[in-house]
Amino acid sequence: MDSPQILQFVDEAVYTNTGKRLNNLHRRIIAGILNRQRYADVAETYGYSSQHVKKASHELLQMLSEVFGEQVKKSNLESVLERQINVNITLGNKNAHNKNSVSIGSINNCPEPSTRTPEKSQCETPDFHDNNQAFIEKIGKLRQFGLSDEQIAEVLELPLDVVKQVDLEE
C-alpha cells in the first residue's frame, strides 16, 4: 500500500471509532514516522516547533492505541498498521464484535443483525443502487485493497450478486 492509501485507512479507522478526522499535522506525523523521519525533521519541513510535533505525536499515538486496541508507538506504527490493514481485509466482518477490530465502512442495511444460514444469509436489498452510493464507493475502495467480491460481500454484509452488479454498472 502506498502512503495515501495508508493515511486513508487510518483516517477511516479513526473516524469510525471517534467521529473525528485526522488533521494535517497527524497525517504529516504518520507519513514522517513511516518514512523514518525524526520529529525534528517533520517540524522543520512543515514549519512547526519540535515540541508541538512531539506533543501532537504523543496524542496521536495514544488515540491510535485506543482505535486499534493495542499499544502504538513510533517504533511499531508500521507493523501495527500492516497488521490492522491485513486483519480488516482478510477477516472482514468475522471480528465485528471484537474490540480489537476496526471495520472499513461497516454499514448494515438489515433492520436486525443478519445470521448466516444456508436458507437466509442476507437481508433483502432491492433498491441497493438507488439509495446506497456509499456502498458503491466502499465496494470500489475494497476492490482497490485487493478484496474479492466474496470478501467484500462478507465485510459489507451484502448478497454476493449485489456486489457483482456494482462491477457491471461502472
Side-chain angles (χ1 to χ4, degrees):
M1 284 185 117
D2 59 10
S3 194
Q5 289 175 317
I6 292 169
L7 291 172
Q8 181 179 357
F9 171 81
V10 175
D11 187 55
E12 288 297 323
V14 168
Y15 182 74
T16 299
N17 285 272
T18 69
K20 298 177 183 177
R21 295 284 185 184
L22 295 176
N23 62 36
N24 287 339
L25 181 55
H26 291 151
R27 291 174 170 277
R28 290 168 176 165
I29 290 169
I30 292 169
I33 292 171
L34 295 177
N35 289 321
R36 299 187 178 25
Q37 291 180 311
R38 298 176 310 137
Y39 291 142
D41 297 333
V42 173
E44 185 178 324
T45 301
Y46 297 106
Y48 297 102
S49 73
S50 290
Q51 283 304 106
H52 182 66
V53 171
K54 285 181 186 177
K55 181 181 177 190
S57 176
H58 177 73
E59 292 168 357
L60 172 65
L61 295 174
Q62 280 186 317
M63 178 175 56
L64 294 179
S65 294
E66 291 173 21
V67 166
F68 294 130
E70 63 180 292
Q71 186 176 18
V72 180
K73 302 179 287 189
K74 183 178 180 181
S75 61
N76 73 349
L77 177 64
E78 186 173 5
S79 61
V80 168
L81 291 179
E82 187 175 297
R83 207 169 24 260
Q84 291 297 323
I85 289 167
N86 287 333
V87 162
N88 284 294
I89 289 175
T90 59
L91 297 181
N93 199 32
K94 292 180 184 174
N95 281 342
H97 301 294
N98 181 339
K99 184 180 178 204
N100 293 334
S101 172
V102 176
S103 62
I104 302 174
S106 237
I107 298 175
N108 185 354
N109 258 1
C110 303
E112 296 180 23
S114 64
T115 54
R116 299 198 183 267
T117 61
E119 302 84 350
K120 184 178 179 184
S121 63
Q122 304 292 337
C123 65
E124 295 299 317
T125 55
D127 58 345
F128 173 79
H129 294 290
D130 295 335
N131 297 322
N132 291 295
Q133 184 62 31
F135 270 112
I136 294 169
E137 291 171 8
K138 289 185 186 312
I139 289 168
K141 286 181 184 178
L142 291 171
R143 282 186 176 139
Q144 288 176 350
F145 284 121
L147 268 71
S148 69
D149 285 349
E150 290 80 9
Q151 291 169 319
I152 294 169
E154 183 175 338
V155 168
L156 297 178
E157 296 181 350
L158 292 172
L160 180 58
D161 62 318
V162 170
V163 173
K164 289 185 177 191
Q165 286 176 3
V166 171
D167 191 34
L168 299 174
E169 294 179 1
E170 289 178 354

